[in-house]
Amino acid sequence: GNSVTQMEGPVTLSEEAFLTINCTYTATGYPSLFWYVQYPGEGLQLLLKATKADDKGSNKGFEATYRKETTSFHLEKGSVQVSDSAVYFCALTFNQAGTALIFGKGTTLSVSS
Amino acid sequence: GAVVSQHPSRVICKSGTSVKIECRSLDFQATTMFWYRQFPKQSLMLMATSNEGSKATYEQGVEKDKFLINHASLTLSTLTVTSAHPEDSSFYICSAKGTSDTQYFGPGTRLTVL
C-alpha cells in the first residue's frame, strides 16, 4: 500500500541552526509529494510540493527534493527561526480525482532563541 | 493562493445536540472536499471524501449516520455531527481540491462537547 514515514520528533534547535526532517514514502505509481506546516491551533498550510522525480520544491527558505531512487522527500532549511516552530507533515497523493492525501505522523519542531 | 474557510472556528455544545461545520473554497471550485479529524499531537485522520453532487465516501470505522456530509455545490461542503457526545470532541479540518493535485486546508474547527 501507499504510506509516508517521517522522523519522529520533537526536534529542538537553536535559532539559525540547520534543519533536516526526514521523510520517506512507499507508493505504487508516481505520487506527488508535499510538505504541510501546522502552527498551533491552526489548520494546515501548504509549504512546498514536488510532482515528479528530481523536482525541488522550495518556499520561505525551506527546500525538499523528490528522490525517486531513495523514495525520499527530506525537508531542509539552512537557518531556522523561532517563528518556524510548528508541526511539519510530509504527504503524498496521486493526481486523480477524489484522491486523498496520505500523511506522515508529523514532526514537531521547536526553535529557541 | 487558494483559500479555504471553515465556520465556526470553535463550538461548544451539550451532549446530544447536533453541530454543523461549513467548509468553503473562496476562490476556486472544489470538485472534491475532504474531512479530517485530528486528535491532540497526532496526525490527521481522513474521515470522508466528498465529490460535488455525490454521496460522500467514508473511511472504514467512520459512522456515516453520525457524521453527515453534504457537498451541495462546488464551493461548499458541510459536516454535521449528529447527537454529539464528549468523545466526538476534536479538531475537525476540511480540505478542498480543484483540478490540480494540491489540497488546500481550512483553518479547522475545535469542537468541544460537554
Side-chain angles (χ1 to χ4, degrees):
Chain A
N2 303 311
S3 65
V4 175
T5 302
Q6 41 181 128
M7 63 186 287
E8 293 194 20
V11 174
T12 304
L13 295 172
S14 298
E15 207 164 23
E16 300 183 3
F18 184 86
L19 168 71
T20 300
I21 300 178
N22 290 337
C23 171
T24 57
Y25 68 90
T26 301
T28 52
Y30 302 97
S32 296
L33 303 174
F34 302 80
W35 278 99
Y36 284 86
V37 57
Q38 185 178 31
Y39 298 101
E42 299 184 12
L44 272 68
Q45 298 177 25
L46 177 65
L47 182 59
L48 52 85
K49 63 180 275 191
T51 58
K52 63 183 187 298
D54 300 325
D55 269 2
K56 178 187 282 188
S58 61
N59 185 25
K60 300 181 182 178
F62 291 90
E63 292 183 340
T65 301
Y66 190 145
R67 301 285 188 201
K68 184 181 173 186
E69 63 276 13
T70 55
T71 61
S72 65
F73 194 54
H74 305 320
L75 182 68
E76 297 182 337
K77 186 174 185 181
S79 176
V80 293
Q81 305 300 312
V82 173
S83 57
D84 293 328
S85 299
V87 181
Y88 292 81
F89 293 94
C90 185
L92 69 82
T93 192
F94 296 90
N95 193 14
Q96 298 170 8
T99 306
L101 280 164
I102 297 171
F103 285 97
K105 292 188 176 180
T107 302
T108 299
L109 171 64
S110 179
V111 181
S112 58
S113 58
Chain B
V3 179
V4 176
S5 69
Q6 269 184 253
H7 178 79
S9 58
R10 292 178 180 271
V11 57
I12 300 173
C13 68
K14 293 182 178 180
S15 187
T17 60
S18 294
V19 174
K20 179 184 283 189
I21 303 170
E22 291 187 350
C23 176
R24 293 181 186 273
S25 56
L26 299 184
D27 51 2
F28 68 103
Q29 293 188 323
T31 51
T32 307
M33 286 186 167
F34 304 87
W35 287 95
Y36 296 85
R37 182 172 179 177
Q38 186 180 34
F39 294 99
K41 300 188 187 299
Q42 294 190 25
S43 189
L44 282 72
M45 181 192 80
L46 178 66
M47 298 175 66
T49 302
S50 73
N51 293 298
E52 185 263 338
S54 304
K55 286 186 178 180
T57 301
Y58 290 81
E59 295 300 299
Q60 192 172 7
V62 178
E63 299 175 61
K64 61 181 179 182
D65 294 331
K66 182 167 186 61
F67 298 100
L68 301 179
I69 292 172
N70 186 302
H71 191 167
S73 77
L74 284 171
T75 59
L76 173 65
S77 176
T78 60
L79 167 67
T80 301
V81 183
T82 61
S83 186
H85 288 92
E87 58 266 29
D88 298 323
S89 298
S90 193
F91 193 51
Y92 293 89
I93 306 176
C94 74
S95 70
K97 186 174 175 180
T99 55
S100 77
D101 58 1
T102 302
Q103 286 185 37
Y104 298 94
F105 285 81
T109 297
R110 173 75 58 192
L111 170 64
T112 303
V113 184
L114 302 176

